[in-house]
Structures are given as C-alpha cells and as structure tokens.
Amino acid sequence: MDIKYFLSEAWIARSALFEGMLSTLEISLIAILVGSLLGVFVGLLLTYGNIYLRFLIRIYTDFLRGTPVFVLILACFYILSIIGIQLNAFQAGVFALTLFCSSHVGEIFRGALLAIPVGQTEASKSIGLTFRQTFFSVLLPQALRQILPTWVNTATEIVKASTLLSIIGVAELLLSAQQIISRNFLSLEFYFFVGFLYFLINYSIEKLGRYFERKVAIPS
Amino acid sequence: MNYNFNFDAVWRNFDLLMSGLGLGLALALVSIAIGCVLGLLVAFGMISKNRFLRVISGIYISWIRNTPILVLILFVYFALPQTGFMLGKIESFIFTLSIYSGAYLAEVFRSGLVSLSPGIRESGLAIGLTEFKIKRYLIIPIMFRNVLPSLSNNFISLFKDTSLAAAIAVPELTFYARKINVETFRVIETWLVASAIYIVACYAIAALLRSFERKLAIPGRGHK
C-alpha cells in the first residue's frame, strides 16, 4: 500500500469525490425530509384514521417495510417508466428512498402517538381544544421528542441505503469511487476511504441527534 | 393505462426465485448464527472493566454500524483479495454479513446486559458459581429471553440485507428477479412477485420468532 500514490490519486479525483459526496447528501436530505413529512401523515392515519383508511395504510407500510430497500429501488427504477412516469435514475432512486423513509417514520410516529397517555387527549378535550389544536400543540411536541433517537437511526439508514442507487447508475459517492477505482485499481484504499466518508456523515448525524436530544430533553 | 398483466414468464421461472429465496435464507441463517456469537463477545467487551476491550468494541460497533453494508460487501469482495485474503462470492458475503450483524446484535445484547439486575450475578456468586458459569447459566439465558423481541426485528432486517448479495452476483432472490426482469421484460409482474415473496418470508420469520418467544416466556411473567 503506497500512501503517497493514494493521496496523489485522491487529490486528482477530488472533484469527482466531492460531487459524489454532494449527490449522496442531496439524495439523503430529500429522502429524509420528504419521507419524514409523509411519515408523520402515515403515522397519523395509522392511529386516527377510520378502519378502511387504516387498513390501506397498513398494507402500504407493511409492503414497504417487508421489501428490501434494494428491491424497492430496482422496482421503482424499472416499473415507473413502464407505467408512463418518466423519471431518471436519480429521481426514481430518491422516490424509492422517500417511500421507504415514510413507512419507517410512519411506524415510529404511530408508536410514539400510542405511547402518549390518553389523559393528554382527554385533558385537551376538556379545555375545548379541537383535534387539530390538540395534535399540533399537545401530541406532536411530545411525539417528536420521543421519536428523535429512532428518527436519527432512520436517517443514518437512509444515508446508508443511498449507496444502493449506485447500482442503478446514479453517480453518488460510492459510484464515483468505483469509477475512480476502475481507473487506478486502488480498490483497497478507495473503498476504505469511501467507507470512512460515510462513517463521517453518519457519525455527525448521530452527534447532531444527540445534541438535539439534550436540547429538547425535559429537565428533571 | 392499458397494461396487460402476464405472469406466465414469472411462473415459468418461479423455481428459480424459490431457489434464490432458499439461498437467501441460508445466507441469513449462517451469518446471523456467526453474528450472534460475535455480538455476544463484543457486548461483553462493551461492559467489561477492561478499558482497552471497551474501546475496541466501541470502535467496532460504531464503525460497522455507520458504514453502508454495500461498501463493506464490495470492500471484502473486491479489495481484500489484494491483501491475500481471498474468498468466494458466497463465503465473502457470509463473512461481511456476519461482521455487519455482529455489530447490530452487539448493541441489542449490550442493552439486554445492562438492564439485568445485579442481583442475578450476586445470587450466582452466593451459590458458588464461577464467573463463566454465571454467564453461561444465568446471565445469557435471561438476557436472551429479554431481548428476543428486538432480536427478531434485527433478524428480519438482516434477512432483507441478503438482497444485496445480488451486487456481487450471488444467485439469490433479487439476482434472479433482475435476471427474469431483463430476460422477459415482464417488469411489473417480476418485481411484484419478488417483493411478495420477501414479504411472505418476513412474515413467516416474524411468526416463527414470536412463537419462539411464547415458548420461552416464563409463565406469569407478563410476556405475551
């Protein structure tokens, strides 16, 4: 292993790596944000929807959670174009990850809503709050505080799952690295380096999550 | 939308999909078995009094858990042979998934270990058991029973990770699904059937583990 050679190759490839990194961050960010918003709706419907709605949404989440995310990405990539929705690989991949994220956040959110004592809802009713007011000012803040640790886990899962987009040809960090490796054959060094970059991304997400957890914790 | 569903091509290749599922289950089973042993060792490392062991186990867990499994798979299969560590496709995937599951299961076991009451160890000492026997006969069985629900979740997600073996051309379910997809162009049908098989398999695993949980539950201790 020649460190100098690796460093010079990495320096030559810096813009490709940087762009790959940006692409990974972009994919993950869109999927996490849109997926979480959707997920809150999913969780809400799972908890308070009528029986038909609940049944439909349950099928949706179970389907998405039971299928490996890799299969989901491939299915979105191949199926969407067949049924006339023209998306490129990037969009199809982000779409799949968003769906994946929404089902997971939905399930987490449902759990958090159920864990809030019924007394809270009853108390809100007794002081005359509407359901919307109850949800936004009583339930949501408590649920969000509770889902934070698991949500951070889901976010890191999404970052990790974004590597799968390399297989359908999206030039994110992993595919950029593979392209570099096919040029200079430094597979050991570059795979290790890319692994380290992912580690950095996820580690910072985790630390950020911890920080927010402390920030929003109720002082006891 | 006027798409005519035609599952013929998929049914014709159904035995391929099934053999893929079988391989996926086998990969998951072997890797999880190795991962459990590894995870148990690392979990004991995490709570040991030896600072060095704690640091090493901590690095292992946070490193592996924060690296995408696809990168690990490609690293083990394509990069490690440069150092002379050469494995076949299937062995290399099992190696990777074992290491990967070890980190996840270690977290589960660790949380199970720290939630045990110290009275268990003390009562073991009181009846004259050695440290090893306390672990073997008291700590591990009790902890295992407590963490079984979260263990099942991890088993299922590790089984789903076997789909990534397709990336290094291990002929499991996703690999065959892609093959059928490309060869027959029955795109929607192929992926519908493939995900349905995964879902059924996941449900089956979940049901199996839940019945296992019920079997192991101590009567009257609140485990349903």
Side-chain angles (χ1 to χ4, degrees):
Chain A
M1 203 157 113
D2 189 347
I3 290 287
K4 249 191 184 148
Y5 181 46
F6 163 67
L7 285 179
S8 77
E9 282 294 326
W11 180 250
I12 292 168
R14 65 188 182 279
S15 67
L17 283 173
F18 185 67
E19 256 156 48
M21 182 100 155
L22 277 188
S23 178
T24 288
L25 290 177
E26 191 185 347
I27 294 164
S28 319
L29 206 66
I30 299 176
I32 293 168
L33 289 183
V34 182
S36 302
L37 272 180
L38 264 178
V40 169
F41 271 110
V42 168
L44 202 57
L45 291 178
L46 272 177
T47 326
Y48 296 111
N50 67 28
I51 186 153
Y52 303 107
L53 216 53
R54 270 215 310 271
F55 184 68
L56 275 182
I57 300 286
R58 173 69 28 223
I59 291 179
Y60 168 84
T61 52
D62 276 12
F63 185 79
L64 291 178
R65 277 157 41 94
T67 317
V69 60
F70 183 34
V71 173
L72 210 60
I73 289 170
L74 291 175
C76 282
F77 181 55
Y78 290 120
I79 289 181
L80 288 180
S81 60
I82 291 277
I83 59 173
I85 302 171
Q86 296 300 333
L87 294 181
N88 58 29
F90 178 87
Q91 292 159 334
V94 171
F95 182 71
L97 287 181
T98 306
L99 291 185
F100 177 72
C101 183
S102 78
S103 69
H104 277 255
V105 172
E107 199 63 36
I108 300 169
F109 194 65
R110 184 187 73 96
L113 283 179
L114 286 182
I116 298 174
V118 205
Q120 300 275 331
T121 325
E122 288 167 357
S124 322
K125 263 189 197 146
S126 73
I127 57 168
L129 296 185
T130 62
F131 179 72
R132 179 191 292 241
Q133 285 168 328
T134 309
F135 178 70
F136 280 108
S137 36
V138 179
L139 300 177
L140 189 65
Q142 299 187 55
L144 285 185
R145 186 174 286 128
Q146 198 166 41
I147 71 168
L148 194 58
T150 346
W151 186 68
V152 169
N153 260 346
T154 309
T156 60
E157 288 299 321
I158 298 288
V159 173
K160 285 163 37 170
S162 76
T163 53
L164 302 179
L165 267 63
S166 68
I167 292 171
I168 56 172
V170 178
E172 40 68 83
L173 186 51
L174 180 58
L175 189 60
S176 310
Q178 284 176 315
Q179 286 164 349
I180 296 163
I181 290 169
S182 66
R183 197 175 60 225
N184 56 27
F185 300 109
L186 291 174
S187 55
L188 197 66
E189 292 85 344
F190 272 99
Y191 276 129
F192 193 79
F193 183 58
V194 170
F196 178 67
L197 290 180
Y198 278 109
F199 172 77
L200 277 188
I201 297 175
N202 280 334
Y203 197 69
S204 4
I205 292 178
E206 229 170 63
K207 284 283 161 233
L208 207 67
R210 288 281 149 70
Y211 172 75
F212 275 115
E213 249 171 77
R214 272 201 305 274
K215 205 95 215 230
V216 299
I218 302 170
S220 58
Chain B
M1 201 179 101
N2 46 0
Y3 185 88
N4 294 317
F5 281 93
N6 180 358
F7 283 93
D8 282 353
V10 183
W11 298 144
R12 257 203 316 281
N13 292 307
F14 197 66
D15 49 336
L16 277 186
L17 290 177
M18 278 297 136
S19 77
L21 174 68
L23 182 60
L25 285 172
L27 289 174
L29 196 68
V30 176
S31 314
I32 287 171
I34 303 174
C36 270
V37 177
L38 193 62
L40 208 53
L41 290 176
V42 174
F44 277 117
M46 281 296 277
I47 58 162
S48 91
K49 289 194 190 70
N50 187 331
R51 201 183 132 78
F52 178 71
L53 276 181
R54 275 207 312 272
V55 171
I56 292 284
S57 321
I59 290 176
Y60 165 72
I61 292 181
S62 66
W63 184 277
I64 297 294
R65 279 173 60 105
N66 284 323
T67 310
I69 182 166
L70 185 58
V71 173
L72 295 174
I73 292 170
L74 297 176
F75 182 78
V76 171
Y77 187 59
F78 291 115
L80 277 189
Q82 284 190 6
T83 64
F85 184 80
M86 187 100 74
L87 289 174
K89 278 185 296 205
I90 292 183
E91 293 85 350
S92 138
F93 182 77
I94 290 177
F95 180 78
T96 315
L97 194 60
S98 308
I99 302 271
Y100 188 73
S101 57
Y104 276 83
L105 299 177
E107 264 302 286
V108 176
F109 289 140
R110 190 192 60 85
S111 63
L113 287 176
V114 295
S115 69
L116 286 184
S117 91
I120 293 172
R121 185 172 160 274
E122 284 159 12
S123 57
L125 285 175
I127 58 170
L129 295 181
T130 61
E131 282 292 340
F132 177 76
K133 280 188 173 161
I134 290 174
K135 286 194 174 73
R136 163 76 182 76
Y137 293 107
L138 298 179
I139 305 246
I140 291 178
I142 298 174
M143 178 273 294
F144 194 76
R145 190 180 283 131
N146 288 345
V147 298
L148 207 53
S150 53
L151 216 50
S152 326
N153 278 340
N154 276 285
F155 286 175
I156 290 170
S157 74
L158 288 169
F159 164 64
K160 291 197 297 176
D161 284 336
T162 60
S163 65
L164 296 178
I168 53 172
V170 173
E172 49 71 70
L173 183 48
T174 309
F175 177 85
Y176 281 127
R178 274 177 102 186
K179 188 166 131 80
I180 296 168
N181 176 19
V182 174
E183 281 173 3
T184 66
F185 286 108
R186 302 316 303 183
V187 177
I188 300 181
E189 294 86 338
T190 312
W191 293 111
L192 270 183
V193 172
S195 25
I197 296 175
Y198 270 114
I199 292 166
V200 171
C202 286
Y203 266 110
I205 298 174
L208 195 73
L209 289 171
R210 212 158 9 213
S211 78
F212 200 54
E213 255 167 62
R214 271 197 299 272
K215 272 245 166 63
L216 284 182
I218 303 169
R221 277 292 305 276
H223 283 281
K224 265 182 273 173

